Amino acid sequence: MDFILNEEQMLLRDMAARFAADARARQEKTPEEPGRRWSRFAELGLLGLTLGEAHGGLGGGGVETMIVAEEMGRQLLTEPFVPAVAMVSPLIGELGSKDHHEQILPRLAAGEVLVVPAFLEPEARYDLAQVATIARADGDQVRITGRKAVVLNAPQADLLLVSTRSAGATGAMEGISLYLVPCQAPGVSLRAITTLDGRPAAEVNFDAVAVAATSRLGSAGTALPAIERAVDRGIAALAGEAVGAMAALLDLTAEYLRTRKQFGAPIGKFQALQHKLVDMRVALELARSVAAAAAMAVDIPDAELRRRFISAAKVQVTRSGRLIGQAAIQLHGAMGMTEEYGAGRYLKRLVVIGALYGDFAHHLERFAATAEPAGLPN
Amino acid sequence: MKFTLSPELEAFRQDVRRFVADNLSPATRAKVDEGRRLVKADYVDWYRILHAKGWITPGWPVEHGGTDWSPLERYIFEEETALGGAPPVTGGINMIGPVLIAFGTPEQKAAYLPAMRRGDLWWAQGFSEPGSGSDLASLSTKAVLEGDHYVVNGTKIWQTQAAYADMMFALVRTRFEGKPQEGITLLLLDMKSPGLSIQPIRTIDGGQELYQCFFDNVRVPIENRVGADSKGWTYAKYLLGFERHGIAGIGHAKRQMVRIKRIAAAEQDRGTRLIDQPRWGERIALLEIELMALECLSLRLIQESEMMGAGKGPGVEASILKIRGTELRQEMFELLTDLTGPYVIPFDEEVMRSGWGNAAPVGPAHAATIASNYLDSRKISIYGGANEIQRNVLAKSILGL
């Protein structure tokens, strides 16, 4: 594995870092209307990051997505970059018809349309095949009935990309189809919620929602592998976001240890605190390294090896996130418990990332089920 | 960033892997596999094979027999040799070797370097003392210049395999005023010198590889001083900063992972292999993930330092690799202990050396060495700068206090 960014990737990182820092500064000065913030992403081409050049995008892959996500995490931006850009755009690019490509992709890149994934269900926990939402043919239409759980950014979205079952029992790998469903369609109802880290989300109910049969992505009943790939792209991006948040939190904590004085000395002089800070740094470096590996693995053809890296990254990032987030609060003392200070915002983001698309236990199990790559001498 | 390394590096990895597979003695590999004790011949035979190939001193300059490999190639070499079950290259090659090359006289280089490469000269390290461990600069073994000899009195401790050693490089105190670091001199002592004696120390794993050395008016010719009088601290720091590419021990850890899986497949509980039981499978998976993360970190740090042109491998980040690499391997030995179950309890020192021979093993054959290996693994977070010292070093670099 080659961990060194090439020149374009370094330029992208610098650009994303400036953009994200600027976005946070603006946000803190005068809160902007969310649509305005999102269009700034489009102006820099970030919304077309993962689209092919044929669709007016930059043709970026897992690494480019991670680079931007890391800067977003560092500044705790809440825009739906991961669901929209890391997950949905490549999925539409991959499975969509010519019409989908022509009608949706340019508008995604321009920030005119927001499409977010709605894959998981209240009873499914993290199993992408536990799809009880039914798509039933009805003339040249399809009627969708079911529920989707904790759909991030659904209240802002124009379209939902919904996994549905057109055949087979709940839990079967076959029989899953993807549909683009307008949020305004009759029968779609949202119960809006706010996430722990301050993002809009919703529980979404579909009551015999009629959509055109042409709004299906790809062939009927075969969408699961593509959904899994999209989720893996999302996890790799979230890992990058978590790394950015962890790095910022470590910097914040180190600065506090340098400046806060007790017993006549900066508290960073005390070994007990020093060693805890070092453990945070070790956890960060491990997470950063395996997150980068996962970002590289997103685009490889070997699905088994990809799963192995993605799940390893999710496990490591979740553990490192907990360790860093919790130690940061501890090292700040009571100040860390205050809403005003802000260390807690990072912990909240890290907890949310840990619970998105498979927690520690889910990915540990998934990793254990993958085969070790061949080639080890014995 | 790319998922695969360059085809050239991949080919290099395969070359090294094949070389180890084709040339390492199966008896030595079996000892390493089973965690049995190695003897000097196991090391030296392997060193001679490496020497014949020109691979015994990759880290030395080319004119002294180095290979001119990049840091990444050296990392891959270390990983593959360890993974293939080869004994580690020790005996001073990567410690006093680079110091002699940088600071030794032409006579010292001629006398020692070729013999080291051939496997004919084994060094003991004389740094720690009973009163000077992590605080090395407080050392008090005294050397007084009398004519053209230093006369050395005092004691050194924790010499690994001192009984194998032909020579010792030792830090001694030649001045008592000023800062502790300023009065230290680096001397080369013949282990057969009159007045030099060694005493083995039994360790908790049942081993007897460590020694204490005593100096009673040991006379060391002045030409055996490295560099200048009282400049030894500089040379020692140079020595300790060397060869940190492989400090995470990825090759060793991967080999232990193979062992873990082998034993988890051999051990059963109520008719099911442990490896097939979720509670064991997930413990193994977690260590595998930790190993992957550490391997990615090692590769990343080496590539980053290579790109920065440091040329020597990771700087202060090496402390991160030391901490995590040692803790991970210790976790692996804990798991090995747990996997082995009740047969971790019997302990037979002779089996550690020679295996079961013709006798029927007590319990599964793999069990005999596990407890000893586990106990032995407790040392790795202590030697080479205790992990707490590594944390102090890192904290200083993060905080700048």
Side-chain angles (χ1 to χ4, degrees):
Chain A
M1 246 175 257
D2 177 357
F3 286 87
I4 305 300
L5 296 181
N6 67 28
E7 209 162 315
E8 291 86 50
Q9 290 166 340
M10 278 193 246
L11 288 172
L12 176 65
R13 182 193 58 196
D14 295 347
M15 185 265 269
R18 276 196 308 274
F19 169 73
D22 179 58
R24 176 156 171 177
R26 278 172 198 276
Q27 179 62 14
E28 282 171 4
K29 227 164 49 195
T30 42
E32 280 182 299
E33 185 256 320
R36 177 71 198 108
R37 294 212 306 270
W38 192 234
S39 57
R40 283 186 212 284
F41 279 76
E43 284 158 23
L44 280 180
L46 291 176
L47 300 189
L49 185 68
T50 54
L51 292 176
E53 284 159 24
H55 301 121
L58 299 175
V63 173
E64 287 74 19
T65 309
M66 172 197 74
I67 289 168
V68 175
E70 179 176 338
E71 299 309 326
M72 293 195 56
R74 198 186 306 280
Q75 305 298 345
L76 291 175
L77 301 190
T78 53
E79 278 69 25
F81 176 81
V82 171
V85 179
M87 297 174 70
V88 164
S89 291
L91 191 50
I92 295 179
E94 192 180 341
L95 293 187
S97 64
K98 193 157 171 287
D99 274 359
H100 294 136
H101 289 174
E102 284 172 359
Q103 285 165 21
I104 300 176
L105 295 184
R107 300 177 68 206
L108 285 179
E112 294 161 8
V113 163
L114 178 65
V115 187
V116 297
F119 294 160
L120 292 172
E121 303 192 354
E123 312 297 323
R125 212 172 157 83
Y126 296 115
D127 185 350
L128 295 165
Q130 287 287 325
V131 177
T133 298
I134 300 297
R136 187 171 46 78
D138 181 12
D140 56 358
Q141 287 192 323
V142 168
R143 292 211 173 253
I144 296 171
T145 299
R147 289 178 65 201
K148 294 290 170 180
V150 200
V151 182
L152 289 190
N153 304 99
Q156 306 159 315
D158 304 289
L159 293 160
L160 300 173
L161 185 52
V162 185
S163 60
T164 65
R165 182 162 293 287
S166 44
T170 306
M173 312 280 279
E174 300 293 326
I176 296 172
S177 305
L178 276 173
Y179 284 94
L180 283 162
V181 181
C183 293
Q184 300 305 323
V188 176
S189 57
L190 270 60
R191 175 162 181 196
I193 45 174
T194 304
T195 63
L196 176 61
D197 60 341
R199 283 189 268 195
E203 297 287 289
V204 184
N205 193 62
F206 302 88
D207 182 9
V209 177
V211 293
T214 52
S215 54
R216 191 184 67 223
L217 285 190
S219 58
T222 60
L224 187 61
I227 293 173
E228 205 203 338
R229 263 197 306 282
V231 168
D232 281 354
R233 288 195 193 99
I235 292 171
L238 287 171
E241 199 179 316
V243 166
M246 287 185 237
L249 186 51
L250 181 61
D251 287 347
L252 186 73
T253 308
E255 186 54 28
Y256 189 76
L257 261 56
R258 273 190 286 268
T259 49
R260 165 78 172 168
K261 288 203 171 99
Q262 287 290 278
F263 306 102
I267 59 174
K269 284 277 189 194
F270 300 115
Q271 219 171 34
L273 280 62
Q274 290 180 348
H275 288 194
K276 207 156 188 134
L277 188 72
V278 166
D279 290 340
M280 292 168 71
R281 171 73 186 278
V282 173
L284 168 65
E285 296 299 338
L286 290 168
R288 180 187 292 288
S289 307
V290 74
M296 292 184 252
V298 156
D299 300 313
I300 62 172
D302 181 342
E304 184 88 349
L305 197 56
R306 184 193 80 217
R307 274 185 210 111
R308 199 171 163 79
F309 274 91
I310 296 292
S311 284
K314 193 66 168 43
V315 167
Q316 183 64 54
V317 159
T318 304
R319 294 179 92 197
S320 291
R322 283 284 161 85
L323 186 147
I324 290 170
Q326 290 167 185
I329 302 293
Q330 179 69 22
L331 291 179
H332 279 90
M335 190 55 74
M337 290 300 295
T338 64
E339 182 71 19
E340 184 200 352
Y341 182 76
R345 289 176 61 202
Y346 294 96
L347 175 60
K348 290 178 196 176
R349 173 61 58 92
L350 292 166
V351 168
V352 167
I353 291 173
L356 278 172
Y357 295 115
D359 57 9
F360 174 90
H362 175 87
H363 282 286
L364 188 59
E365 190 184 349
R366 185 181 185 237
F367 178 90
T370 62
E372 199 175 343
L376 270 186
N378 44 44
Chain B
M1 283 197 183
K2 277 194 302 290
F3 188 73
T4 46
L5 277 178
S6 71
E8 294 76 25
L9 283 170
E10 207 37 61
F12 175 74
R13 181 185 287 282
Q14 295 306 327
D15 280 352
V16 177
R17 185 172 292 189
R18 204 171 316 112
F19 178 78
V20 177
D22 292 348
N23 292 281
L24 178 64
S25 126
T28 303
R29 183 185 294 122
K31 278 190 186 179
V32 171
D33 262 347
E34 294 160 23
R36 285 192 279 125
R37 300 196 196 291
L38 300 179
V39 295
K40 187 174 185 180
D42 296 317
Y43 293 95
V44 172
D45 290 351
W46 174 240
Y47 297 172
R48 293 195 169 130
I49 291 166
L50 286 175
H51 178 242
K53 177 76 175 172
W55 284 357
I56 184 64
T57 49
W60 291 11
V62 177
E63 61 271 29
H64 290 289
T67 53
D68 203 23
W69 288 336
S70 68
L72 203 49
E73 286 169 316
R74 284 165 61 189
Y75 168 84
I76 290 170
F77 176 77
E78 281 190 40
E79 182 191 334
E80 284 297 328
T81 47
L83 186 54
V89 171
T90 172
I93 282 178
N94 291 320
M95 304 191 84
I96 191 64
V99 174
L100 290 174
I101 289 166
F103 305 107
T105 62
E107 292 75 19
Q108 287 169 343
K109 289 178 194 176
Y112 303 127
L113 297 178
M116 289 168 72
R117 300 188 64 240
R118 290 193 306 267
D120 290 340
L121 176 58
W122 187 294
W123 293 87
Q125 181 190 28
F127 280 13
S128 296
E129 298 182 3
S132 304
S134 294
D135 180 13
L136 184 59
S138 71
L139 61 90
S140 62
T141 291
K142 185 167 77 172
V144 179
L145 192 56
E146 289 181 6
D148 54 3
H149 280 75
Y150 284 97
V151 178
V152 180
N153 280 285
T155 179
K156 291 286 175 184
I157 197 166
W158 314 129
Q159 284 66 53
T160 306
Q161 302 296 16
Y164 297 166
D166 307 289
M167 298 284 294
M168 171 188 281
F169 55 96
L171 294 174
V172 296
R173 183 159 300 287
T174 44
R175 271 200 231 153
F176 291 84
E177 66 281 10
K179 281 173 63 180
Q181 289 83 353
E182 286 165 2
I184 292 170
T185 298
L186 180 59
L187 294 182
L188 310 175
L189 288 75
D190 190 325
M191 291 298 282
K192 290 186 289 296
S193 306
L196 194 162
S197 59
I198 66 173
Q199 178 93 50
I201 300 167
R202 264 187 86 83
T203 41
I204 54 174
D205 59 304
Q208 209 161 276
E209 297 182 343
L210 294 180
Y211 289 81
Q212 185 169 2
C213 300
F214 301 91
F215 313 102
D216 179 12
N217 287 315
V218 175
R219 293 176 66 79
V220 181
I222 194 166
E223 58 266 27
N224 279 21
R225 185 183 72 210
V226 178
D229 190 280
S230 297
K231 292 288 175 218
W233 191 251
T234 311
Y235 313 138
K237 281 206 304 199
Y238 181 83
L239 182 155
L240 294 173
F242 223 79
E243 277 302 320
R244 306 184 88 184
H245 309 92
I247 195 165
I250 297 295
H252 291 114
K254 284 187 174 175
R255 196 149 190 94
Q256 291 310 320
M257 185 50 75
V258 172
R259 190 181 183 194
I260 285 170
K261 290 187 172 175
R262 195 172 59 227
I263 293 178
E267 292 278 350
Q268 298 197 350
D269 187 4
R270 282 160 281 187
T272 309
R273 304 188 311 163
L274 297 190
I275 201 167
D276 295 327
Q277 300 186 13
R279 68 196 170 103
W280 293 101
E282 287 180 8
R283 271 184 80 180
I284 295 169
L286 195 52
L287 287 182
E288 272 191 287
I289 290 171
E290 291 183 349
L291 175 54
M292 269 173 80
L294 183 64
E295 183 178 16
C296 291
L297 175 57
S298 288
L299 277 169
R300 198 192 108 215
L301 290 179
I302 287 165
Q303 290 169 0
E304 283 177 359
S305 71
E306 203 170 352
M307 196 189 58
M308 310 277 269
K312 274 186 164 186
V316 69
E317 291 84 4
S319 290
I320 298 177
L321 299 177
K322 163 59 164 67
I323 292 169
R324 192 77 275 273
T326 53
E327 289 176 353
L328 173 60
R329 275 178 288 154
Q330 289 177 335
E331 289 167 26
M332 289 181 159
F333 284 104
E334 286 177 54
L335 178 56
L336 281 167
T337 302
D338 295 344
L339 286 168
T340 305
Y343 280 104
V344 81
I345 298 170
F347 188 84
D348 186 326
E349 182 54 34
E350 183 53 33
V351 177
M352 283 297 301
R353 277 190 293 272
S354 319
W356 286 106
N358 293 326
V362 174
H366 59 247
T369 52
I370 298 291
S372 174
N373 292 171
Y374 157 73
L375 290 165
D376 179 63
S377 78
R378 302 314 306 170
K379 77 184 176 196
I380 62 181
S381 54
I382 299 169
Y383 69 30
N387 285 15
E388 289 71 23
I389 297 289
Q390 307 288 347
R391 284 184 165 85
N392 289 351
V393 168
L394 271 169
K396 199 169 174 200
S397 84
I398 300 171
L399 289 168
L401 287 175

